[in-house]
Amino acid sequence: MSSDAPTHVIGIDIGGSSLKGGVIDVGAGALAGPPRSVVTPEPSTPELVATAARELFDLLDGASVGGPVGVAFPGVVRDGRTWTAANVDRSWVGAPAESIFEEALGRPVRLINDADAAGLAEAQVGAGAGFPGSVLVLTFGTGIGSALIHDRHLVPGLELGHLELDGAVAEHRASAYAKRREDLDWPEWSARVDRYLNHVGRLVSPDLVVVGGAISADAEQWLPLLHVDFPVVPARLGNDAGAVGAGLYALTATAPDGQPRTAALAG
Ligand code: BGC
C-alpha cells in the first residue's frame, strides 16, 4: 500500500434485518469506533437499501473519511452486479449494485459478498490469521454465508448455505433466523448445525472452521454440542467481520491505477 493510502475507510454490511457499518482503522484491521446500524427497509429494494446505506454513511460521518467505501451484500456479486437475492428483494437480481451505491454515497464503492468479506477479515486479522491451511468461514444470520480461504486466497462466490440438507435448503433449517423462527433451543438447533457442518466438512475438508454472525457471541452455548472432526472456533471479529472485511477489501480491490485487483489478501 502506498504511503498516501487511506488510514481509515468505511465498511458497510447489508443484512436481511439491518445494515451495519463502521469506520475501519486499516492498519489495525478493526473498527475505529462503535459500529452503527439502521434497519433494513421493507421492501429491501436497491433504491431503498441504497438510501438506508446513505443514512448509515452519514451516521458514521462518512464525509470525514476518505477513500472508497466497501459494501458487503448478502448474495452473489460479480462485476459490480448482484446476481442472487435469497434474503433481500428479488429486484437485486442483475442490478448494477456497485453503481447504485456509488450514486447514493457519492464515493467509489467496492462491492463484495458479505460472507466473502467476513472471510477476508477473519483470515487477515481474525480467528484464521496466519493459519496455513483451508479456512472455511460460515456466517449464521438470516441465511448462511460461506467463504473458503486457502493460504490467504479467497475463492469467491461459494454458496454453501444453499446446499440441500434433510430435504430443505440448508440455510432454511440451520440459520440463526431458523432458530428464532422455529423457537429451537440450543440442542435442537445445534443438532441441525452439526449435520450441516458434517456435510460441508465432507465436501470441503477444512482445516479450520470459523463461525460468525451475531450468534457467534453465544458460541459457548452451541460449539460444545457439535461432533465434528475439525476445529470450529468463533469469529474473532464477531458480527463486525462483514463490515471490517468490506472496508479492507475496498482498499485491496483498488490498485493505484484504479483497476480492480483480484481478491488476494493484502500481505
Ligand atoms: C446468500 C449468500 C450470503 C448468505 C449470508 C445467502 O442466502 O445466498 O450469498 O452470503 O445468505 O447473508
Side-chain angles (χ1 to χ4, degrees):
M1 219 178 277
S2 69
S3 57
D4 57 358
T7 58
H8 292 78
V9 284
I10 300 283
I12 292 177
D13 184 12
I14 297 166
S17 57
S18 68
L19 281 74
K20 297 176 289 292
V23 179
I24 318 300
D25 179 332
V26 178
L31 290 173
R36 303 297 298 259
S37 64
V38 298
V39 172
T40 304
E42 198 46 68
S44 50
T45 56
E47 199 183 17
L48 294 181
V49 170
T51 303
R54 175 72 212 202
E55 198 185 317
L56 183 56
F57 180 83
D58 290 340
L59 278 176
L60 294 165
D61 194 17
S64 68
V65 180
V69 176
V71 176
F73 179 82
V76 172
V77 171
R78 178 168 285 169
D79 299 330
R81 286 182 183 262
T82 43
W83 294 106
T84 65
N87 298 306
V88 283
D89 193 80
R90 293 289 303 159
S91 53
W92 281 99
V93 176
E98 209 166 70
S99 312
I100 291 170
F101 286 114
E102 286 187 339
E103 198 166 312
L105 303 179
R107 283 293 178 79
V109 164
R110 297 291 171 260
L111 192 72
I112 180 172
N113 170 265
D114 57 355
D116 285 348
L120 288 175
E122 286 297 326
Q124 194 168 352
V125 292
F131 199 82
S134 294
V135 179
L136 179 65
V137 177
L138 296 172
T139 61
F140 291 84
T142 310
I144 298 178
S146 53
L148 185 62
I149 294 103
H150 182 75
D151 275 350
R152 304 191 312 139
H153 286 272
L154 170 77
V155 180
L158 198 66
E159 286 285 334
L160 297 182
H162 291 268
L163 285 173
E164 190 180 310
L165 183 71
D166 299 330
V169 176
E171 70 175 16
H172 293 172
R173 287 188 54 77
S175 63
Y177 175 62
K179 181 180 186 305
R180 273 200 311 280
R181 188 189 58 221
E182 297 183 47
D183 198 20
L184 304 173
D185 62 19
W186 290 111
E188 287 168 329
W189 181 69
S190 63
R192 294 185 183 187
V193 175
D194 195 52
R195 279 186 59 66
Y196 175 65
L197 287 180
N198 275 290
H199 188 51
V200 165
R202 280 194 293 279
L203 298 175
V204 174
S205 302
D207 296 302
L208 175 70
V209 170
V210 178
V211 291
I215 207 159
S216 64
D218 296 314
E220 77 287 352
Q221 302 275 1
W222 55 282
L223 291 195
L225 305 179
L226 302 175
H227 303 94
V228 289
D229 58 5
F230 39 79
V232 182
V233 297
R236 195 180 296 161
L237 297 162
N239 208 21
D240 300 329
V244 172
L248 298 178
Y249 175 73
L251 292 183
T252 59
T254 311
D257 60 2
Q259 294 302 307
R261 288 181 183 151
T262 63
L265 300 177

